[in-house]
Amino acid sequence: MPTALPGRALAALCALLTLLAFAPPASAAGDTAPATGPAARTADRGTLVRAERLFTEPSPAAVAGGLTALGFRSDTVRHGVDAYRLVYRTVDAHGRPTTASGLLTLPHGRFGRLRPVSFTHGTELHRADAPSADPRGFTGAAPVTYAAAGFAGVAPDYLGLGSGPGTHPWMDLPSETTAALDMLRAARRFAPLTGRLLGREVLVTGFSQGAPAALGLGRALHGGADRWFRLGALAPVSGAYALRDAEIPALLSGRVPPPNSVFFTAYALVSFDRVYDVYATPGEVFRAPYARTVEDLFDGTHTWEELARATPGTLGELLTPHGRDLLSRPRGGLAEALRAADRSCTGWAPRAPLRLYLTGGDEQAVEANTAHCRAAFRASGTSAGVVDLGPVEWRGSRHFGSHVAALSEIVRWFRSLR
């Protein structure tokens, strides 16, 4: 579509095309390939419930200044940014209809067709720290960067974060995948109302928790889960791709030191129990007095500082002998949860360009995760390039430093893929 059309005329034309392409607008059934389970019977996944303009920053210099203040590089900034919160229909971790929210960022003043970049964010505890709730903060920096570089940034908040109801099913790959895919569908419906259209090929990236989530979305697109979108490229950063074989052993051995080992272990057990029934009572896996309070800490209303004050300093103080043994030898609901979480790299062979980004000495997502992921892709017949970002740090953390360092590198790589 010619980009020389005046913005208002183009917006009107795109809106008309949207009505034609998505009639009836309340149903997304035409976008969804056959699937199994309750999610397959939900006809309105990706339907836009409401949209809200969060900010418009027309000045590229101002966008660059905001990114620099957060510690990110701004050398890829070419445009100002328009940011929107989208609330859309999706399914929860049990396949039941629900809603979720996400951040859509667009290059200010640039109309016509845009290449979408799906960014799935890292671990957050409070719903107000999700991308659409804090678009100018650390979690929103990636979608803002992609829009400023000329892409459409599409960043789901996940279930239970941002404006979504309920609690967040942390590290649940199936629900992260559906939330990310349905956010793309909602963005495709909304974009024409702003004078833009989203292209078919999705450039997929994510950081930390969002790295396996990105691969989950990539796998869905690769498998034809949507009739419009298809996989363009994959660039996950510092992911926990192998919880059972890499990350949990690192938590138990101290390779991931406190307090992160305490935070992540508690988050995993509580979240997995809500979906997969890991324990009968919290006291089975958590010692007193934490067994009485730990579940409420992961309700989306508490901060990391509050979590730190309400949890012990070591795993030995947090876990019962049974809890530690369960992590060492997963079984029952925990084994089921880990099988679902650890499928991001196994059993499929992407035909799109693929790079895995990491930094040595990562104190949260240990390097063995990426080694397992690369080996899994190799076993499926796919070569995954690994990009070591070097000893980068952000506020003393190599894990977060990898996100900061990878962002501009991925922008340049995505630009090179035509």
Side-chain angles (χ1 to χ4, degrees), residues 56-338:
T56 291
E57 179 49 74
S59 167
V63 173
L67 292 171
T68 301
L70 291 169
F72 290 87
R73 294 175 62 177
S74 60
D75 54 320
T76 61
V77 172
R78 301 291 183 271
H79 307 273
V81 173
D82 301 326
Y84 302 87
R85 176 187 295 117
L86 305 185
V87 177
Y88 58 96
R89 299 192 188 281
T90 186
V91 290
D92 68 13
H94 300 283
R96 300 171 301 208
T98 188
T99 60
S101 57
L103 176 63
L104 173 66
T105 55
L106 302 169
H108 180 75
R110 182 172 179 178
F111 301 100
R113 188 178 297 273
L114 301 174
R115 287 195 291 171
V117 175
S118 174
F119 172 77
T120 39
H121 65 82
T123 297
E124 293 297 348
L125 187 65
H126 198 294
R127 60 176 58 252
D129 292 328
S132 79
D134 189 21
R136 295 182 185 268
F138 186 84
T139 309
V144 166
T145 296
Y146 288 115
F151 301 96
V154 185
D157 293 334
Y158 306 138
L159 298 177
L161 296 175
S163 302
T167 56
H168 172 52
W170 185 65
M171 294 299 294
D172 180 51
L173 185 63
S175 64
E176 292 167 347
T177 299
T178 53
L181 179 58
D182 293 343
M183 175 62 187
L184 276 170
R185 292 166 170 160
R188 185 189 173 203
R189 285 162 167 77
F190 176 73
L193 303 180
T194 72
R196 287 88 160 185
L197 293 172
L198 296 192
R200 297 193 68 184
E201 291 196 347
V202 185
L203 306 169
V204 180
T205 181
F207 163 65
S208 191
Q209 175 188 355
L215 293 175
L217 174 61
R219 184 174 191 155
L221 295 174
H222 171 84
D226 190 88
R227 292 185 179 178
W228 173 256
F229 291 117
R230 60 191 180 194
L231 179 60
L234 284 162
V237 182
S238 299
Y241 310 109
L243 291 180
R244 181 165 188 157
D245 294 327
E247 193 66 17
I248 288 178
L251 293 171
L252 295 177
S253 69
R255 174 65 183 79
V256 176
N260 289 325
S261 59
V262 174
F263 295 166
F264 296 155
T265 298
Y267 209 165
L269 288 172
V270 169
S271 297
F272 288 156
D273 180 67
R274 289 168 177 164
V275 181
Y276 298 96
D277 193 18
V278 172
Y279 49 79
T281 65
E284 288 185 3
V285 294
F286 299 113
R287 292 183 183 273
Y290 310 107
R292 297 195 304 270
T293 59
V294 68
E295 291 185 321
D296 289 341
L297 295 172
F298 300 98
D299 64 358
T301 68
H302 292 80
T303 65
W304 292 109
E305 291 76 13
E306 290 172 324
L307 179 64
R309 291 195 296 269
T311 50
T314 67
L315 280 180
E317 297 170 278
L318 176 71
L319 297 175
T320 64
H322 172 71
R324 189 176 183 94
D325 180 68
L326 184 62
L327 287 170
S328 300
R329 299 185 301 115
R331 52 202 179 271
L334 181 59
E336 183 182 359
L338 295 178

Side-chain angles (χ1 to χ4, degrees), residues 344-386:
S344 62
C345 308
T346 61
W348 71 295
R351 292 189 294 270
L354 167 62
R355 289 182 177 180
L356 306 174
Y357 292 78
L358 59 76
T359 182
D362 191 318
E363 77 285 357
Q364 295 189 30
V366 295
E367 297 168 70
N369 282 286
T370 300
H372 276 80
C373 185
R374 186 183 193 184
F377 278 127
R378 185 183 298 116
S380 298
T382 294
S383 176
V386 174

